Each structure stands twice: as structure tokens, then as C-alpha cells.
């Protein structure tokens, strides 16, 4: 399955000189995240509605639009990595 690059959503620029700019990063939709992890899109949806919520951190932009920061997804994957050599 080919890997599709996540969309690039430009960070907003600071309106005032004293406000920090958000880091420029890539974002995944629910469908892109599922495709990247070889999951059905219902799985990340189920993670979000679980109590407590599971899966990588997400941003709900509207009731139907949820995005995942590539940085958060990579951190979440690293945090859930199990190294059998260290687990022994």
C-alpha cells in the first residue's frame, strides 16, 4: 500500500509581536491516519469515543472534522513501542 504524505496545513502567523508562532507541521485526517496505520477508519473513531479516550492526541475542528498532528502521532507510536529484547 503506497504511503501518502500528510497534508501540509500552514501555521497561522502571530497577530502581535509578543505572541509566539505555532510550529509549522503536517496533519493527518482520520482516513489518512487509518491508511498509514493499516487500520479501518472506524478504529481511530472508536479510540476517540472510548472512555477514557485512546489513540494519539487529536484536534476536533468541527463535529465531523478531526485532525492528528504528525508529531503527536509519531510520539504516540514511539510511546507504545515494545522492544521484545528489553521486555525479557
Amino acid at each position: 500500500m503506497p504511503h501518502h504524505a500528510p497534508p501540509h496545513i500552514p501555521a497561522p502567523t502571530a497577530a502581535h509581536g509578543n505572541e509566539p508562532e505555532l510550529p509549522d507541521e503536517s496533519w493527518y485526517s482520520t482516513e489518512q491516519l487509518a491508511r498509514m496505520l493499516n487500520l479501518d477508519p472506524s478504529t481511530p473513531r472508536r479510540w476517540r469515543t472510548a472512555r477514557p479516550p485512546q489513540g494519539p492526541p487529536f484536534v476536533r475542528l468541527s463535529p465531523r472534522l478531526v485532525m492528528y498532528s504528525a508529531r503527536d502521532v509519531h510520539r504516540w507510536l514511539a510511546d507504545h513501542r515494545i522492544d521484545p529484547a528489553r521486555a525479557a
Side-chain angles (χ1 to χ4, degrees):
M1 177 181 293
H3 174 73
H4 298 283
H8 176 75
I9 300 174
T13 57
H16 306 297
N18 60 350
E19 292 180 16
E21 288 191 33
L22 295 174
D24 198 20
E25 64 180 287
S26 297
W27 294 81
Y28 299 109
S29 69
T30 299
E31 291 73 18
Q32 289 168 322
L33 175 70
R35 195 168 36 247
M36 182 182 76
L37 298 177
N38 200 26
L39 301 170
D40 187 274
S42 65
T43 300
R45 289 185 190 106
R46 195 171 50 253
W47 289 342
R48 292 193 308 261
T49 59
R51 293 295 171 239
Q54 301 172 359
F58 59 91
V59 175
R60 185 175 302 280
L61 297 175
S62 75
R64 297 178 54 100
L65 180 59
V66 174
M67 299 297 288
Y68 296 86
S69 154
R71 182 180 303 141
D72 285 342
V73 170
H74 294 185
R75 185 178 305 121
W76 179 79
L77 287 169
D79 289 347
H80 286 80
R81 182 176 183 265
I82 298 171
D83 183 346
R86 291 181 170 230

